Amino acid sequence: MAQLDIDIINFLRDNPQSSSPEIHKGISKGSYATVKRAIAILLANGQLQATGQRRATRYQISSVNQVLGQIDISAYFQREIDEREIQEGFNFQLINEVLMNVSIFTEEEITQLQRLQEEFRSNVAHMSEAAYSKEMERLAIDLSWKSSQIEGNTYSLLETERLLKDKETAAGKPKDDATMLLNHKEALNFIIENPDYVVPLTIALIEDIHSILIKNLQVERNIRQRRVGISGTNYRPLDNEHQIREALEDMCRLINLKENIFEKSLLALVLLSYIQAFNDGNKRTARIVGNAILIANQHCPISFRTIDSVEYKKAMLVFYEQNNISVFKKIFIEQFRFAVKTYF
């Protein structure tokens, strides 16, 4: 995408329902005629939507672009929380009207992921059962560590390995940190032993996985019945139990209808976090369910080992606030590549 196109989209992201003269003045680049031509091309490509006619025409980002358009994450987070223009409440159209009708990955990205998946299958086919189990255990340790670290767990990777392999707790660490890690390993073992458990995906199965992850952590089980807040954002998740359940049902229907396995997994990762169905443990549950979908379909699971925790959280905040999946999608692709190249 040309820089002028990006500038137009970024301007409209902050100034929806702007006229072409307002866009030209706002971006301060090129002639008015050049900007008009760029707007016309973006309209034809489905990147923008227009309302009104002639001088009354106003432009805004299309729902497709809102989900998949590129975002400069550094520039985005230069603004403080209260300065960012966001969708503060849950978007009821996102699952059934937008994500249901869009392909998350480009053809190039799908080709890239499929090649990596073929490499994984070829490698696994030449591995003994013992060697495969050893690599899966290594990945499970890394995933348990990173998934817990993202949530503030203080164990190092080496301490996590000692805990999960030898049941040796780290001195001076909170008991809950060890419990969180052990729960991750138990949830992963459950998925590996029951690979078809999330096919098809249902609310009850999601609740089962959540229950394993929050065991002995003084976290309420099942769908929450009170409001929750999310640090670092003004996005407010649903606070009505019936609406939360309906959103989960819509999410399960969407994921079950999608054919591409990578799309299924990515949607589980972001939507379970976005819906925030539980009082705590939502992102942990999302990472396990996303991996369960990959494992159920003989795809390489993801450990997220090399992703910086802050960058992970920023990618989620962009989805919460803008319903834009592009930043998290990049993380997903990078981490899938890392998993294939590192473990198998």
Side-chain angles (χ1 to χ4, degrees):
M1 184 178 290
Q3 186 58 50
L4 179 58
D5 297 340
I6 295 172
D7 291 339
I8 291 170
I9 288 169
N10 287 339
F11 178 81
L12 287 173
R13 182 172 286 114
D14 296 332
N15 304 274
Q17 294 298 318
S18 294
S19 65
S20 53
E22 289 169 338
I23 295 170
H24 177 241
K25 181 180 179 181
I27 63 175
S28 303
K29 286 185 180 179
S31 66
Y32 177 61
T34 300
V35 171
K36 282 281 286 183
R37 283 195 296 271
I39 291 172
I41 293 171
L42 289 169
L43 277 171
N45 291 341
Q47 301 292 306
L48 300 183
Q49 294 174 330
T51 57
Q53 295 181 345
R54 297 179 183 177
R55 292 186 178 181
T57 303
R58 296 292 183 271
Y59 302 95
Q60 65 183 26
I61 299 172
S62 69
S63 57
V64 172
N65 184 276
Q66 190 169 3
V67 171
L68 298 173
Q70 297 301 306
I71 285 185
D72 184 338
I73 195 166
S74 298
Y76 185 80
F77 285 102
Q78 284 178 358
R79 298 184 179 185
E80 296 297 332
I81 296 172
D82 296 328
E83 296 175 346
R84 299 198 291 265
E85 293 287 335
I86 72 168
Q87 178 150 333
E88 293 187 357
F90 183 84
N91 182 355
F92 287 93
Q93 287 74 46
L94 178 63
I95 296 175
N96 290 328
E97 297 181 19
V98 180
L99 293 173
M100 187 67 78
N101 298 305
V102 67
S103 295
I104 301 298
F105 295 101
T106 65
E107 291 185 8
E108 182 180 351
E109 288 167 342
I110 290 173
T111 299
Q112 179 184 359
L113 287 166
Q114 286 176 337
R115 284 174 179 167
L116 288 166
Q117 171 61 15
E118 288 167 7
E119 181 179 342
F120 165 72
R121 286 185 173 173
S122 176
N123 292 344
V124 168
H126 294 89
M127 294 176 74
S128 67
E129 185 175 340
Y132 176 77
S133 296
K134 184 177 180 180
E135 289 306 297
M136 281 298 291
E137 181 181 28
R138 191 160 68 97
L139 187 149
I141 291 170
D142 287 352
L143 174 57
S144 299
W145 168 70
K146 176 55 71 172
S147 182
S148 299
Q149 187 202 53
I150 290 171
E151 305 309 317
N153 196 292
T154 60
Y155 268 61
S156 68
L157 179 54
L158 181 58
E159 289 168 337
T160 299
E161 184 176 6
R162 287 173 179 164
L163 173 69
L164 299 184
K165 280 189 172 182
D166 306 321
K167 299 296 184 288
E168 180 183 332
T169 57
K173 303 288 187 180
K175 180 182 177 182
D176 282 356
D177 282 9
T179 301
M180 182 187 293
L181 289 161
L182 290 166
N183 289 350
H184 269 88
K185 188 63 163 57
E186 182 179 344
L188 285 164
N189 286 343
F190 178 79
I191 291 303
I192 292 169
E193 292 167 6
N194 303 276
D196 295 330
Y197 195 71
V198 294
V199 182
L201 188 63
T202 67
I203 295 176
L205 303 184
I206 294 168
E207 288 180 312
D208 287 346
I209 292 171
H210 175 258
S211 294
I212 298 173
L213 287 165
I214 55 91
K215 186 173 65 174
N216 299 324
L217 286 175
Q218 298 181 343
V219 175
E220 296 176 21
R221 297 177 59 184
N222 303 324
I223 307 301
R224 61 181 167 84
Q225 299 179 349
R226 56 185 174 86
R227 294 179 63 181
V228 295
I230 302 175
S231 300
T233 181
N234 287 331
Y235 164 66
R236 298 186 302 273
L238 293 167
D239 57 13
N240 180 289
E241 180 186 0
H242 299 293
Q243 289 182 326
I244 293 170
R245 190 169 291 276
E246 183 179 352
L248 284 173
E249 288 173 350
D250 290 342
M251 181 203 72
C252 289
R253 185 184 311 111
L254 169 69
I255 291 171
N256 291 332
L257 285 172
K258 290 287 185 178
E259 294 183 1
N260 185 276
I261 306 305
F262 299 110
E263 196 165 350
K264 287 174 179 282
S265 177
L266 178 55
L267 287 170
L269 281 162
V270 296
L271 289 176
L272 277 170
S273 302
Y274 180 62
I275 295 168
Q276 292 280 309
F278 308 107
N279 286 310
D280 197 7
N282 292 284
K283 293 192 294 296
R284 278 170 275 164
T285 302
R287 288 186 285 272
I288 298 300
V289 171
N291 269 307
I293 291 170
L294 292 172
I295 292 169
N297 292 278
Q298 296 80 50
H299 281 51
C300 181
I302 299 173
S303 71
F304 295 101
R305 195 182 87 187
T306 60
I307 183 63
D308 179 79
S309 297
V310 173
E311 295 306 310
Y312 185 102
K313 291 174 182 177
K314 284 182 176 180
M316 280 311 320
L317 290 180
V318 168
F319 189 77
Y320 294 159
E321 297 181 355
Q322 302 296 335
N323 298 155
N324 184 288
I325 204 171
S326 64
V327 182
F328 202 93
K329 179 174 69 166
K330 182 179 179 182
I331 290 173
F332 181 92
I333 294 171
E334 289 173 348
Q335 291 303 307
F336 187 78
R337 179 188 297 109
F338 173 81
V340 171
K341 300 294 185 180
T342 302
Y343 302 105
F344 301 99

